[in-house]
Amino acid sequence: MQNRLYSQLENALPNGMVIPLELKLLYEWIEANGFYVDNDNGTRIGFLCRFKEFFGTSIDFEAQEKDVWYWFDENKDAEFRSRFCSFARSGDGSICGLWKSDNDEIKVVHIGSGSGSTLVCVLADNMIDFIKFLAIGYEEICWEEDFANPPNEKNPDFKPNVIFQEWVKDTFNVEIPKTALEIVKYPATMEDESSEDDFFNWCKSKFSFLE
C-alpha cells in the first residue's frame, strides 16, 4: 500500500517538482510507527512522536494548499504556486514548504503566520539538512531568536525526541547539530528590509506580503 502522506503531497505538487527521497523515507518512518491521525475527510497528518506526546519538535506533516494562499492573490501570484508547495505546519500556524529556487534546487522554506512568527527564509538547502534541523529538538521551528542556542538552554524540562534522533543518525549516517544556525544560514523576518536569504529576496521582489 502506498504511503498516504506521500500520496497527499504528490497530489499537491506543482508540475515539474518532485518529492525528495529523504522526505519519502521520513513519511514511511512516521506511518510505520503510527505517528499520525486521520481526519474525517480522509486526510492524514503525521507527527514525529505519538499524538499528544510532547518532546522534541512539534510539527504537523500535511500537504494543505489552503494554508498558504491567504497571503497571495490566486491569479497574480501564479508564479508562487508554480514553485512552492506547503508540506508541514509549525505550532503557531507557520508554514514549511518545498521551494524550487532560481537554480531549480528544491529547498525547504518557512513562511511565518504573521500573527506570531514572522520568519521568512530558507530553513535548509536540502531535505537531509531539514531533517537534521528537526532532530535538534526545538519545541517549534518558527522562532529565529532561539536558533543560536541549543533547545534545552532556556527550558530545563526539555525532552529530546531520542527515537527520532537515533533514526536520523542511523538512516542518513549524520550527526545532529547543536544549534539551528548550523543549518539556517540567514533567518530573515517579515520586518527585515534586506537579507542575503534567497527565498526572502524572491518573495520581497515579487509578492506583496513583504511590502
Side-chain angles (χ1 to χ4, degrees):
M1 181 179 296
Q2 189 172 19
N3 182 280
R4 191 184 297 183
L5 291 171
Y6 182 89
S7 297
Q8 288 174 174
L9 181 56
E10 191 174 44
N11 291 336
L13 286 178
N15 291 334
M17 185 180 286
V18 297
I19 302 173
L21 172 62
E22 298 85 4
L23 183 55
K24 181 180 181 182
L25 294 175
L26 175 58
Y27 283 167
E28 290 174 350
W29 178 81
I30 287 171
E31 293 201 358
N33 283 280
F35 297 162
Y36 62 83
V37 295
D38 292 331
N39 292 325
D40 292 340
N41 62 7
T43 60
R44 176 165 290 180
I45 304 174
F47 313 100
L48 297 180
C49 61
R50 288 184 177 84
F51 189 54
K52 297 300 184 183
E53 290 182 354
F54 296 98
F55 51 87
T57 297
S58 173
I59 188 169
D60 298 354
F61 292 98
E62 181 186 13
Q64 201 167 34
E65 184 177 344
K66 63 181 174 58
D67 278 354
V68 69
W69 300 125
Y70 70 92
W71 285 118
F72 302 100
D73 179 88
E74 183 172 353
N75 298 312
K76 176 183 175 183
D77 297 327
E79 181 182 353
F80 192 92
R81 288 174 173 269
S82 72
R83 293 175 56 178
F84 178 90
C85 184
S86 170
F87 72 95
R89 296 190 308 275
S90 186
D92 84 319
S94 298
I95 297 161
C96 290
L98 302 175
W99 174 61
K100 183 184 287 189
S101 73
D102 291 339
N103 297 323
D104 291 332
E105 298 172 321
I106 302 299
K107 301 189 177 189
V108 180
V109 298
H110 185 277
I111 300 178
S113 65
S115 59
S117 170
T118 59
L119 184 67
V120 179
C121 69
V122 175
L123 288 179
D125 286 329
N126 54 69
M127 187 54 64
I128 291 180
D129 278 353
F130 178 67
I131 291 172
K132 288 162 57 180
F133 172 40
L134 293 180
I136 297 171
Y138 294 96
E139 187 172 349
E140 295 180 355
I141 59 172
C142 57
W143 307 114
E144 74 284 348
E145 61 267 26
D146 295 334
F147 286 179
N149 303 309
N152 59 339
E153 188 160 291
K154 296 180 181 179
N155 180 10
D157 296 324
F158 169 79
K159 297 179 181 179
N161 190 335
V162 176
I163 295 173
F164 178 59
Q165 289 178 335
E166 291 302 318
W167 177 80
V168 171
K169 290 188 286 187
D170 292 344
T171 302
F172 303 109
N173 192 28
V174 296
E175 294 298 320
I176 308 302
K178 299 297 184 183
T179 71
L181 289 186
E182 296 181 51
I183 293 176
V184 186
K185 297 177 181 177
Y186 308 109
T189 70
M190 295 175 185
E191 294 86 2
D192 292 337
E193 291 295 325
S194 63
S195 173
E196 296 184 61
D197 183 78
D198 291 341
F199 182 66
F200 173 90
N201 287 322
W202 182 67
C203 291
K204 192 172 183 65
S205 68
K206 294 178 178 292
F207 309 111
S208 60
F209 79 106
L210 286 184
E211 292 178 352

